[in-house]
């Protein structure tokens, strides 16, 4: 069921860039709800639920309002254009190529506006429908930056995808679309999330996802775990039961114990790293920097390294205090108006220590990053 509604809001401006992951600062969606209705989708959680204040009695008739009742933002492209026109250039997250797009075409119009204003985009997608806009994606790519991350949980179309993402486009079709983007020189890879414990975390599946990504020219694998909050858990468990009822008890235990959850997540991540290594594929996305003003590009480069360090510690189950120390320092430098190299040139390490969240050991690391950057720049000029 499609319902057009009036709103003034379309652009989310995140407090900080999601450093180490997609590198996004903004996100926008012309549609609320998702027809693909993946059983593990975190968007059914109360805080994201697009229907929580809905009083439409038709909703009560539906088994899964999230995937069966799609709200369309009236005049979404115009709203988007107004919202983005005066914003500083930064990466926008989009993800809306579901069947409703065939009727309204708002994703295409939003991309046209990104092109008009030279905004870079990251698209997290499950649908080859995106290829209908390949012409615009190529133009944005030439002028700014495009990265398409394919959401994939299984290396092939099997029982896992049939049960847990029954309405989504076939995995094979996503991989083919990845190949087509590669042929068109558009950066692409796999968002391998969520890896379902005891289900899609088998070594053969992990290898297959990574191998198929590599075959289709994907440049990265971004792995992540399953979260099951509120109603998401109830909904997901219906399908878990269908897949293997013995897993219900294992999942109850897993989600009741932070320690067990962490052990399993670390093990899964290590397997992902092993196969990323085997197929020479990155397990992170390099930060796109060229669209930032030249005077702050060095800040983005330095914060990239710190963000990636925070993510590495997080994924490997390391010291939480250290992880957050890196992340907070990264935020400070990422959002700094002054050029960090100028600060260092004028005041040395003491200048770095005046930055919020930068202690002695992180100041030392920043210094190393700056020095290696200076050496790189000098070697380019020889
Ligand atoms: S495609 Fe993405 S947004 Fe849509 S239901 Fe699946 S996980 Fe959720």
């Amino acid at each position: 069921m499609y319902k057009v509604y009036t709103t003034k809001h379309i652009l989310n401006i995140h407090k900080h860039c999601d450093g180490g992951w997609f590198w996004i600062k903004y996100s926008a969606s012309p549609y609320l709800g998702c027809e693909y209705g993946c059983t593990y989708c975190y968007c059914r959680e109360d805080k994201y639920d697009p229907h929580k204040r809905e009083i439409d009695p038709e909703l009560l008739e539906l088994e899964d309002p999230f995937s069966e009742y799609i709200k369309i933002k009236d005049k979404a492209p115009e709203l988007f254009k107004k919202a983005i026109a005066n914003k500083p250039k930064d990466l926008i997250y989009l993800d809306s190529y579901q069947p409703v797009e065939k009727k309204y075409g708002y994703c295409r119009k939003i991309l046209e506006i990104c092109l008009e204003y030279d905004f870079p985009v990251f698209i997290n997608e499950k649908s080859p429908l995106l290829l209908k806009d390949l012409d615009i994606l190529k133009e944005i790519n030439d002028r700014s930056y495009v990265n398409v991350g394919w959401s994939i949980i299984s290396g092939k179309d099997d029982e896992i995808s049939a049960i847990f993402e029954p309405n989504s486009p076939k995995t094979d079709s996503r991989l083919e679309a990845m190949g087509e983007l590669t042929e068109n020189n558009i950066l692409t890879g796999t968002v391998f999330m969520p890896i379902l414990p005891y289900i899609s975390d088998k070594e053969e599946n992990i290898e297959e996802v990574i191998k198929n990504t590599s075959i289709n020219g994907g440049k990265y694998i971004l792995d992540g775990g399953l979260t099951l909050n509120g109603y998401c858990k109830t909904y997901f468990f219906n399908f878990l039961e269908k897949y293997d009822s013995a897993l219900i008890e294992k999942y109850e235990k897993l989600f009741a114990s932070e320690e067990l959850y962490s052990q399993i997540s670390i093990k899964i991540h290590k397997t992902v790293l092993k196969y990323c290594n085997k197929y020479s594929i990155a397990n992170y996305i390099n930060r796109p920097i060229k669209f930032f003003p030249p005077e702050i590009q060095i800040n983005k480069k330095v914060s990239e390294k710190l963000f990636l360090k925070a993510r590495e510690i997080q994924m490997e189950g390391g010291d939480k205090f250290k992880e957050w120390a890196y992340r907070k320092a990264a935020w400070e430098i990422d959002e700094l108006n002054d050029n960090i190299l100028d600060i260092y040139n004028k005041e040395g390490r003491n200048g770095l220590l005046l930055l919020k969240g930068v202690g002695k050991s992180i100041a030392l690391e920043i210094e190393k990053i700056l020095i290696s950057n200076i050496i790189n720049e000098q070697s380019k000029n020889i």
Side-chain angles (χ1 to χ4, degrees):
M1 183 188 305
Y2 295 157
K3 287 267 168 161
V4 177
Y5 78 109
T6 308
T7 176
K8 288 187 178 158
H9 178 76
I10 191 162
L11 186 72
N12 299 308
I13 304 172
H14 305 288
K15 191 170 175 205
H16 305 292
C17 144
D18 71 327
W21 294 90
F22 307 135
W23 304 106
I24 52 159
K25 176 70 179 170
Y26 307 110
S27 57
S29 180
Y31 314 120
L32 293 184
C34 178
E35 290 167 89
Y36 295 135
C38 307
T39 61
Y40 47 73
C41 185
Y42 68 89
C43 297
R44 289 186 187 85
E45 191 183 333
D46 253 21
K47 65 178 170 185
Y48 305 111
D49 180 2
H51 304 311
K52 69 180 163 211
R53 280 187 288 275
E54 205 66 60
I55 44 162
D56 190 336
E58 284 176 279
L59 263 181
L60 301 173
E61 309 288 317
L62 305 173
E63 203 172 301
D64 181 31
F66 171 68
S67 63
E68 295 172 50
Y69 186 103
I70 305 302
K71 293 163 75 177
I72 295 108
K73 296 183 182 173
D74 191 28
K75 301 193 176 67
E78 290 86 341
L79 281 175
F80 180 75
K81 187 168 184 165
K82 204 170 154 198
I84 208 76
N86 300 317
K87 298 289 178 299
K89 211 164 287 175
D90 212 328
L91 200 52
I92 303 177
Y93 176 99
L94 304 169
D95 67 353
S96 299
Y97 284 92
Q98 44 176 313
V100 65
E101 167 66 8
K102 289 186 206 151
K103 181 167 180 191
Y104 291 89
Y106 285 173
C107 288
R108 183 174 180 93
K109 290 192 174 134
I110 285 177
L111 283 181
E112 282 168 352
I113 296 160
C114 291
L115 177 65
E116 185 184 340
Y117 288 89
D118 270 348
F119 267 80
V121 294
F122 173 83
I123 307 179
N124 188 12
E125 210 29 78
K126 270 199 172 79
S127 174
L129 182 61
L130 161 135
L131 294 175
K132 77 180 175 65
D133 296 337
L134 186 57
D135 55 335
I136 305 184
L137 292 172
K138 280 162 70 176
E139 280 193 74
I140 299 177
N141 196 40
D142 287 345
R143 294 197 3 201
S144 171
Y145 171 87
V146 174
N147 178 359
V148 179
W150 292 92
S151 166
I152 288 174
I153 63 160
S154 180
K156 58 177 181 288
D157 293 297
D158 56 9
E159 200 194 354
I160 299 176
S161 40
I163 292 186
F164 295 104
E165 39 187 42
N167 305 321
S168 294
K170 297 278 182 218
T171 302
D172 280 354
S173 72
R174 295 176 226 168
L175 288 163
E176 264 174 43
M178 183 188 289
E180 195 160 340
L181 292 177
T182 302
E183 278 170 25
N184 284 281
N185 296 318
I186 291 177
L187 174 63
T188 182
T190 291
V191 178
F192 194 1
M193 298 181 204
I195 301 184
L196 306 174
Y198 314 122
I199 301 173
S200 59
D201 61 347
K202 310 255 169 17
E203 195 149 342
E204 315 84 72
N205 184 54
I206 292 180
E207 173 162 17
E208 195 151 20
V209 169
I210 298 173
K211 186 171 87 185
N212 286 340
T213 301
S214 160
I215 289 171
N216 287 288
K219 295 289 181 292
Y220 58 84
I221 296 286
L222 218 56
D223 58 308
L226 174 69
T227 51
L228 284 179
N229 296 323
Y231 177 64
C232 295
K233 184 176 168 194
T234 315
Y235 191 81
F236 180 76
F237 272 32
N238 294 328
F239 297 87
L240 191 57
E241 176 118 46
K242 248 193 229 175
Y243 180 78
D244 179 0
S245 56
L247 283 180
I248 299 276
E249 199 187 332
K250 286 181 96 170
Y251 264 65
E252 289 287 12
K253 276 193 188 144
L254 180 66
F255 281 88
S257 162
E258 257 183 53
E259 201 189 331
L260 181 59
Y261 184 89
S262 166
Q263 278 169 10
I264 299 259
S265 304
I266 294 165
K267 191 168 161 238
I268 294 173
H269 183 62
K270 278 192 180 154
T271 312
V272 170
L273 290 182
K274 176 177 155 186
Y275 288 102
C276 281
N277 207 19
K278 178 170 173 185
Y279 292 98
S280 305
I281 197 161
N283 78 305
Y284 60 88
I285 300 173
N286 285 315
R287 183 173 201 176
I289 283 172
K290 64 178 181 180
F291 48 79
F292 290 112
E295 62 279 10
I296 57 162
Q297 288 189 2
I298 183 67
N299 299 2
K300 304 294 174 184
K301 279 188 197 170
V302 171
S303 60
E304 175 188 25
K305 306 270 184 238
L306 302 179
F307 276 131
L308 286 174
K309 188 80 196 164
R311 178 167 171 260
E312 186 188 322
I313 298 170
Q314 178 189 2
M315 298 299 284
E316 290 175 2
D319 182 340
K320 286 248 170 274
F321 179 80
K322 211 167 158 192
E323 174 197 330
W324 277 98
Y326 274 105
R327 190 167 292 120
K328 285 180 183 166
W331 282 338
E332 172 73 9
I333 293 159
D334 191 40
E335 291 154 22
L336 202 62
N337 292 324
D338 300 324
N339 178 308
I340 193 162
L341 187 57
D342 286 348
I343 296 177
Y344 179 69
N345 283 340
K346 272 188 218 140
E347 299 168 64
R349 207 181 300 159
N350 286 337
L352 303 178
L353 285 167
L354 292 175
L355 298 170
K356 200 171 135 200
V358 176
K360 278 185 191 160
S361 63
I362 291 187
L364 200 60
E365 286 201 42
I366 297 173
E367 186 174 33
K368 281 187 201 155
I369 300 168
L370 289 171
I371 291 170
S372 109
N373 193 67
I374 295 167
I375 295 169
N376 279 344
E377 290 302 313
Q378 283 170 346
S379 65
K380 276 189 212 161
N381 295 330
I382 292 171

